[in-house]
C-alpha cells in the first residue's frame, strides 16, 4: 500500500512540474536588445577616483571586485531602461556587463566601464563614442518595450 501512495505522489509531482514549466514558457513578454550610442570611459575601484563611501561600494550598494563585468551609467540612461542589473553588450567587448553603479547627475549619455584596479588599462581605454546594446522586455500584446521594473507596477 505504501508503494502505491508513493507512486501516486510521484505522478502528481511530475504533473505539477510539467504544468508549471508550460506556464513559464508561455509568458507574454520577450527580451529584446535596444541600441544607444554613448560616450564611454573607464574607472577603477580606488578611493581617489570614486570619492567617499568606499571605493568598492556602488551607488546601488553592490560591491565591486576586480574581474567583475560592471558599468556605471549616467542617470538619464536609467530613465531609458538601463536600470540596476540590466544586461549590456558594449561594442568592442566580448562579455556581457551588468549595470551596477550610477554616475553623478552632471553626466549625460555616458557610461563608465569598470576595470578593477588597473589604472593603466583604464587610462589607455580613454574616452570614446561607441554603441551599447541593452536588454529590455517586449510586451507581445502591445509591442511596447518596457523595463523589468515596469512589470511590477
Amino acid at each position: 500500500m505504501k508503494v502505491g501512495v508513493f507512486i501516486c505522489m510521484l505522478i502528481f509531482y511530475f504533473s505539477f512540474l510539467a504544468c508549471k514549466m508550460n506556464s513559464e514558457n508561455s509568458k507574454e513578454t520577450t527580451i529584446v536588445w535596444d541600441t544607444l550610442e554613448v560616450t564611454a570611459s573607464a574607472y577603477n575601484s580606488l578611493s581617489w577616483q570614486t570619492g567617499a563611501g568606499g571605493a568598492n561600494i556602488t551607488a546601488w550598494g553592490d560591491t565591486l571586485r576586480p574581474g567583475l563585468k560592471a558599468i556605471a551609467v549616467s542617470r538619464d540612461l536609467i530613465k531609458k531602461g538601463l536600470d540596476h542589473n540590466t544586461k549590456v553588450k558594449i561594442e568592442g567587448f566580448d562579455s556581457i556587463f551588468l549595470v551596477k553603479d550610477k554616475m553623478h547627475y552632471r553626466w549625460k549619455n555616458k557610461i563608465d566601464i569598470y576595470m578593477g584596479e588597473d589604472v593603466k588599462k583604464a587610462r589607455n581605454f580613454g574616452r570614446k563614442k561607441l554603441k551599447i546594446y541593452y536588454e529590455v522586455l517586449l510586451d507581445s500584446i502591445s509591442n511596447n518595450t518596457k523595463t523589468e521594473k515596469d512589470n511590477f507596477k
Side-chain angles (χ1 to χ4, degrees), residues 16 58 63 65 82 126 134 141:
F16 176 79
T58 70
T63 302
R65 64 189 182 291
L82 282 126
Y134 61 101
I141 294 174

Side-chain angles (χ1 to χ4, degrees), residues 17 32-33 56 84 103 108 117-118 124 136 150:
L17 189 63
V32 296
W33 293 87
N56 294 336
H84 185 236
M103 301 165 78
K108 302 287 182 216
E117 296 177 353
D118 192 341
N124 286 339
V136 292
D150 293 332

Side-chain angles (χ1 to χ4, degrees), residues 22-34:
N22 189 33
S23 70
E24 287 176 357
N25 291 337
S26 63
K27 287 184 179 176
E28 298 283 332
T29 55
T30 304
I31 294 172
V32 296
W33 293 87
D34 206 351

Side-chain angles (χ1 to χ4, degrees), residues 29 77-84 86 134-139 144-153:
T29 55
L77 296 180
I78 297 170
K79 295 173 187 169
K80 292 182 179 182
L82 282 126
D83 205 353
H84 185 236
T86 300
Y134 61 101
E135 211 174 57
V136 292
L137 298 177
L138 178 69
D139 183 349
N144 291 330
T145 57
K146 52 184 168 175
T147 64
E148 192 171 327
K149 203 183 238 183
D150 293 332
N151 284 335
F152 300 105
K153 288 184 180 176

Side-chain angles (χ1 to χ4, degrees), residues 47-128:
S47 59
W48 60 270
Q49 286 185 2
T50 58
N56 294 336
I57 306 300
T58 70
W60 272 304
D62 293 302
T63 302
L64 296 175
R65 64 189 182 291
L68 181 67
K69 301 297 183 188
I71 63 170
V73 296
S74 57
R75 292 172 192 246
D76 61 321
L77 296 180
I78 297 170
K79 295 173 187 169
K80 292 182 179 182
L82 282 126
D83 205 353
H84 185 236
N85 285 328
T86 300
K87 292 180 181 175
V88 179
K89 296 178 187 177
I90 302 172
E91 181 180 21
F93 291 84
D94 293 332
S95 301
I96 292 180
F97 291 76
L98 294 176
V99 176
K100 290 291 187 181
D101 206 354
K102 50 190 166 182
M103 301 165 78
H104 191 276
Y105 292 100
R106 72 177 171 261
W107 299 112
K108 302 287 182 216
N109 200 47
K110 186 174 187 309
I111 68 168
D112 264 351
I113 303 168
Y114 176 64
M115 296 197 174
E117 296 177 353
D118 192 341
V119 176
K120 185 175 181 181
K121 182 178 178 184
R123 286 186 177 153
N124 286 339
F125 181 81
R127 180 180 300 142
K128 52 186 89 171

